[in-house]
Amino acid sequence: MTAIPLGSPRRLIEFTLDGQEARVPEGSTILDACRAAGKDIPTLCQGDTLTPKNACRVCVVEVEGARTLAPACSRKAEPGMDVLTDTERARHSRKIVLELLASSVDLSTTPKVAEWIKEYEAKPDRFGPDAARLNEEPKVDNDLYVRDYDKCILCYKCVDACGDQWQNTFAISVAGRGFDARIAVEHDAPLTDSACVYCGNCIEVCPTGALSFKSEFDMRAAGTWDESAQTETTTVCAYCGVGCNLTLHVQDNEIVKVTSPHDNPVTHGNLCIKGRFGYQHVQNRD
């Protein structure tokens, strides 16, 4: 029998959440508590496998006694604190952020954003047609994935996944400053000339579709991409003995992309190039 270390139990923190008593394990964030209570707090830059960057500011909440709104994704729950998630101030802030993002970035492939814009009555069009946009064609410089920076919100999740939080390849970084800041590889070179190892872990964490599978990009361009017609099957990668879990996304009896469960203790959503992109042999019918 193999002993599995479970660690010491965490004590529970008690505080008030929208007038109701809440109890969460020590170290939990306000966003964790909101989700445990069934509250739908919008967030774009938060990822369950990454350290919060506080970049998008869509998840802000009001904490009694605090001068500014707090990002729920990174603010830890504290004993006795009083948190309000649906105040006029918090809703107004989320509305403005959504308007600014949607006016300058293509959010057409960002899950749930259309619902949030409707819920908060955001009006991105009020900034007019001259709102600053990148207006750059997607970068299709390899056969595995596409970079469409018109959809990038600079959440830095791809930088963290490629850097010291997971892959340690450091092929992705932020170039430029201010309005000129953008995600790029070293010297803004083609991806094929960079340090990229094509693990695709950046795609896994991208919240907007700025990074996408080439297969998905081509199918969307052809108008054949249909998530409602896709099935998901989780299996074990057959390439080596590590035991990585794969989730196969299948449409019309064809594998269209591969992801990995974030709660898997082996991969935590991460894969190598073989696991994420090496599925063609399964459906090679020549």
Side-chain angles (χ1 to χ4, degrees):
M1 179 180 293
T2 302
I4 301 176
L6 298 178
S8 58
R10 293 184 295 170
R11 69 187 182 98
L12 294 179
I13 297 295
E14 297 185 1
F15 69 103
T16 303
L17 181 63
D18 289 333
Q20 302 292 322
E21 182 179 297
R23 303 176 71 196
V24 294
E26 186 177 24
S28 299
T29 64
I30 294 175
L31 185 59
D32 293 332
C34 290
R35 288 174 172 173
K39 298 181 182 295
D40 183 21
I41 303 298
T43 180
L44 290 171
C45 70
Q46 187 269 345
D48 54 357
T49 63
L50 298 168
T51 301
K53 235 351 178 253
N54 304 326
C56 75
R57 315 301 288 189
V58 183
C59 70
V60 292
V61 295
E62 198 160 354
V63 178
E64 185 180 21
R67 181 177 58 85
T68 61
L69 295 173
C73 66
S74 62
R75 179 67 184 270
K76 294 290 193 296
E78 300 173 6
M81 72 183 336
D82 188 0
V83 179
L84 298 173
T85 67
D86 202 39
T87 64
E88 182 179 352
R89 184 185 180 194
R91 291 183 63 86
H92 181 70
S93 178
R94 293 174 193 159
K95 173 184 176 180
I96 296 298
V97 170
L98 288 169
E99 288 178 339
L100 290 170
L101 286 175
S103 66
S104 58
V105 178
D106 177 6
L107 298 179
S108 60
T109 56
T110 305
K112 301 189 74 173
V113 159
E115 300 173 23
W116 295 337
I117 289 177
K118 182 178 180 180
E119 177 185 351
Y120 291 97
E121 300 180 345
K123 297 178 173 57
D125 293 340
R126 71 187 181 90
F127 294 107
D130 296 327
R133 300 185 75 97
L134 192 59
N135 292 324
E136 181 178 291
E137 289 297 315
K139 292 181 180 292
V140 187
D141 52 11
N142 67 92
D143 294 330
L144 300 181
Y145 71 95
V146 175
R147 297 174 291 161
D148 187 353
Y149 291 143
D150 259 10
K151 297 180 179 180
C152 179
I153 61 169
L154 291 174
C155 68
Y156 305 105
K157 292 171 74 173
C158 60
V159 177
D160 290 339
C162 187
D164 59 3
Q165 290 196 35
W166 284 117
Q167 191 61 29
N168 285 289
T169 297
F170 299 97
I172 308 174
S173 61
V174 180
R177 294 174 177 271
F179 285 110
D180 294 326
R182 55 184 294 173
I183 304 297
V185 299
E186 56 266 34
H187 307 298
D188 202 21
L191 199 65
T192 49
D193 296 336
S194 74
C196 178
V197 296
Y198 298 96
C199 62
N201 294 329
C202 55
I203 308 173
E204 185 75 38
V205 300
C206 179
T208 64
L211 302 171
S212 64
F213 286 81
K214 180 69 160 51
S215 54
E216 178 179 347
F217 178 82
D218 290 341
M219 290 178 70
R220 285 187 184 276
T224 57
W225 181 262
D226 184 4
E227 290 188 4
S228 64
Q230 294 174 12
T231 59
E232 298 181 11
T233 302
T234 299
T235 183
V236 179
C237 181
Y239 276 106
C240 74
V242 172
C244 299
N245 275 196
L246 310 179
T247 299
L248 307 179
H249 299 249
V250 178
Q251 180 178 330
D252 297 328
N253 206 31
E254 296 278 348
I255 300 173
V256 293
K257 72 176 184 180
V258 175
T259 58
S260 182
H262 288 196
D263 59 355
N264 182 266
V266 177
T267 63
H268 298 285
N270 298 293
L271 295 171
C272 73
I273 182 174
K274 293 179 180 179
R276 196 175 301 278
F277 296 109
Y279 55 81
Q280 289 79 6
H281 66 286
V282 178
Q283 50 201 30
N284 186 359
R285 299 183 177 86
D286 293 338

Short mmCIF file of all heavy atoms in Angstrom, two decimals, residues 136 139 141 147 149 171 173 175 182-191 193-194:
data_model
loop_
_atom_site.label_atom_id
_atom_site.label_comp_id
_atom_site.label_asym_id
_atom_site.label_seq_id
_atom_site.Cartn_x
_atom_site.Cartn_y
_atom_site.Cartn_z
N GLU A 136 -4.75 43.80 -36.72
CA GLU A 136 -3.65 43.00 -37.26
C GLU A 136 -4.17 41.65 -37.71
O GLU A 136 -5.01 41.03 -37.05
CB GLU A 136 -2.57 42.82 -36.18
CG GLU A 136 -1.36 42.04 -36.63
CD GLU A 136 -0.33 41.93 -35.52
OE1 GLU A 136 0.28 42.97 -35.19
OE2 GLU A 136 -0.15 40.83 -34.97
N LYS A 139 -1.65 35.62 -37.10
CA LYS A 139 -0.34 35.08 -37.46
C LYS A 139 -0.48 33.56 -37.66
O LYS A 139 -0.65 32.82 -36.70
CB LYS A 139 0.69 35.38 -36.38
CG LYS A 139 1.04 36.86 -36.25
CD LYS A 139 2.09 37.07 -35.18
CE LYS A 139 2.46 38.55 -35.04
NZ LYS A 139 3.17 39.04 -36.22
N ASP A 141 1.83 30.99 -38.87
CA ASP A 141 3.20 30.70 -39.30
C ASP A 141 3.65 29.29 -38.92
O ASP A 141 4.83 28.99 -38.93
CB ASP A 141 4.18 31.73 -38.73
CG ASP A 141 4.05 31.92 -37.23
OD1 ASP A 141 3.36 31.10 -36.59
OD2 ASP A 141 4.63 32.87 -36.69
N ARG A 147 -1.97 32.64 -33.79
CA ARG A 147 -1.97 33.78 -32.86
C ARG A 147 -2.76 34.93 -33.48
O ARG A 147 -2.37 35.48 -34.49
CB ARG A 147 -0.54 34.21 -32.56
CG ARG A 147 0.31 33.16 -31.87
CD ARG A 147 1.75 33.61 -31.73
NE ARG A 147 2.44 33.66 -33.03
CZ ARG A 147 3.55 34.36 -33.25
NH1 ARG A 147 4.09 35.09 -32.29
NH2 ARG A 147 4.12 34.33 -34.44
N TYR A 149 -3.81 38.38 -32.39
CA TYR A 149 -3.65 39.38 -31.34
C TYR A 149 -4.77 40.41 -31.33
O TYR A 149 -4.84 41.21 -30.39
CB TYR A 149 -2.29 40.06 -31.49
CG TYR A 149 -1.12 39.15 -31.16
CD1 TYR A 149 0.07 39.20 -31.86
CD2 TYR A 149 -1.23 38.23 -30.13
CE1 TYR A 149 1.13 38.37 -31.55
CE2 TYR A 149 -0.18 37.38 -29.80
CZ TYR A 149 1.00 37.46 -30.52
OH TYR A 149 2.04 36.62 -30.21
N ALA A 171 9.38 31.38 -24.05
CA ALA A 171 9.33 31.81 -25.45
C ALA A 171 8.43 33.02 -25.63
O ALA A 171 8.54 33.74 -26.62
CB ALA A 171 8.83 30.66 -26.33
N SER A 173 6.71 36.66 -24.15
CA SER A 173 6.89 37.77 -23.21
C SER A 173 6.06 38.96 -23.69
O SER A 173 5.36 38.88 -24.70
CB SER A 173 8.37 38.16 -23.10
OG SER A 173 8.85 38.58 -24.36
N ALA A 175 6.12 42.72 -25.15
CA ALA A 175 6.97 43.69 -25.83
C ALA A 175 6.27 45.05 -25.85
O ALA A 175 5.05 45.13 -25.93
CB ALA A 175 7.27 43.24 -27.26
N ARG A 182 2.29 44.46 -26.16
CA ARG A 182 1.68 43.33 -26.85
C ARG A 182 2.44 42.06 -26.51
O ARG A 182 3.60 42.09 -26.11
CB ARG A 182 1.70 43.55 -28.37
CG ARG A 182 3.07 43.83 -28.91
CD ARG A 182 3.04 44.14 -30.39
NE ARG A 182 2.64 42.97 -31.16
CZ ARG A 182 2.39 43.00 -32.47
NH1 ARG A 182 2.47 44.14 -33.12
NH2 ARG A 182 2.05 41.93 -33.10
N ILE A 183 1.79 40.93 -26.69
CA ILE A 183 2.44 39.64 -26.47
C ILE A 183 3.26 39.30 -27.71
O ILE A 183 2.80 39.46 -28.84
CB ILE A 183 1.39 38.54 -26.23
CG1 ILE A 183 0.49 38.91 -25.04
CG2 ILE A 183 2.05 37.20 -26.00
CD1 ILE A 183 1.22 39.03 -23.73
N ALA A 184 4.49 38.85 -27.49
CA ALA A 184 5.37 38.55 -28.62
C ALA A 184 6.40 37.51 -28.21
O ALA A 184 6.63 37.27 -27.01
CB ALA A 184 6.07 39.81 -29.12
N VAL A 185 7.01 36.88 -29.20
CA VAL A 185 8.17 36.03 -28.93
C VAL A 185 9.41 36.90 -29.07
O VAL A 185 9.33 38.07 -29.46
CB VAL A 185 8.24 34.83 -29.90
CG1 VAL A 185 6.99 33.97 -29.75
CG2 VAL A 185 8.36 35.30 -31.34
N GLU A 186 10.58 36.35 -28.76
CA GLU A 186 11.79 37.16 -28.77
C GLU A 186 12.01 37.81 -30.13
O GLU A 186 11.88 37.18 -31.18
CB GLU A 186 13.01 36.32 -28.39
CG GLU A 186 13.25 35.10 -29.24
CD GLU A 186 12.64 33.84 -28.65
OE1 GLU A 186 11.58 33.95 -28.02
OE2 GLU A 186 13.22 32.76 -28.83
N HIS A 187 12.30 39.11 -30.12
CA HIS A 187 12.56 39.93 -31.32
C HIS A 187 11.38 39.94 -32.28
O HIS A 187 11.53 40.25 -33.46
CB HIS A 187 13.81 39.43 -32.05
CG HIS A 187 15.03 39.31 -31.18
ND1 HIS A 187 15.59 40.39 -30.55
CD2 HIS A 187 15.77 38.22 -30.81
CE1 HIS A 187 16.64 39.99 -29.84
NE2 HIS A 187 16.76 38.68 -29.97
N ASP A 188 10.17 39.58 -31.76
CA ASP A 188 8.96 39.55 -32.59
C ASP A 188 9.18 38.71 -33.84
O ASP A 188 8.67 39.01 -34.92
CB ASP A 188 8.55 40.98 -32.98
CG ASP A 188 7.06 41.03 -33.34
OD1 ASP A 188 6.31 40.13 -32.92
OD2 ASP A 188 6.66 41.97 -34.06
N ALA A 189 9.92 37.64 -33.71
CA ALA A 189 10.25 36.76 -34.84
C ALA A 189 9.09 35.81 -35.12
O ALA A 189 8.16 35.68 -34.31
CB ALA A 189 11.51 35.95 -34.52
N PRO A 190 9.11 35.12 -36.25
CA PRO A 190 8.12 34.06 -36.49
C PRO A 190 8.21 33.01 -35.39
O PRO A 190 9.29 32.76 -34.85
CB PRO A 190 8.51 33.49 -37.85
CG PRO A 190 9.28 34.59 -38.52
CD PRO A 190 9.99 35.31 -37.42
N LEU A 191 7.10 32.41 -35.08
CA LEU A 191 7.08 31.43 -34.00
C LEU A 191 8.06 30.29 -34.28
O LEU A 191 8.67 29.73 -33.37
CB LEU A 191 5.67 30.88 -33.83
CG LEU A 191 5.36 30.20 -32.50
CD1 LEU A 191 5.43 31.19 -31.37
CD2 LEU A 191 4.00 29.53 -32.55
N ASP A 193 10.92 30.43 -35.46
CA ASP A 193 12.31 30.80 -35.16
C ASP A 193 12.52 31.09 -33.67
O ASP A 193 13.59 31.56 -33.28
CB ASP A 193 12.71 32.04 -35.96
CG ASP A 193 12.72 31.78 -37.46
OD1 ASP A 193 12.87 30.60 -37.84
OD2 ASP A 193 12.57 32.74 -38.24
N SER A 194 11.51 30.84 -32.85
CA SER A 194 11.58 31.16 -31.43
C SER A 194 11.94 29.92 -30.62
O SER A 194 12.18 28.84 -31.15
CB SER A 194 10.24 31.72 -30.96
OG SER A 194 9.28 30.68 -30.86
#
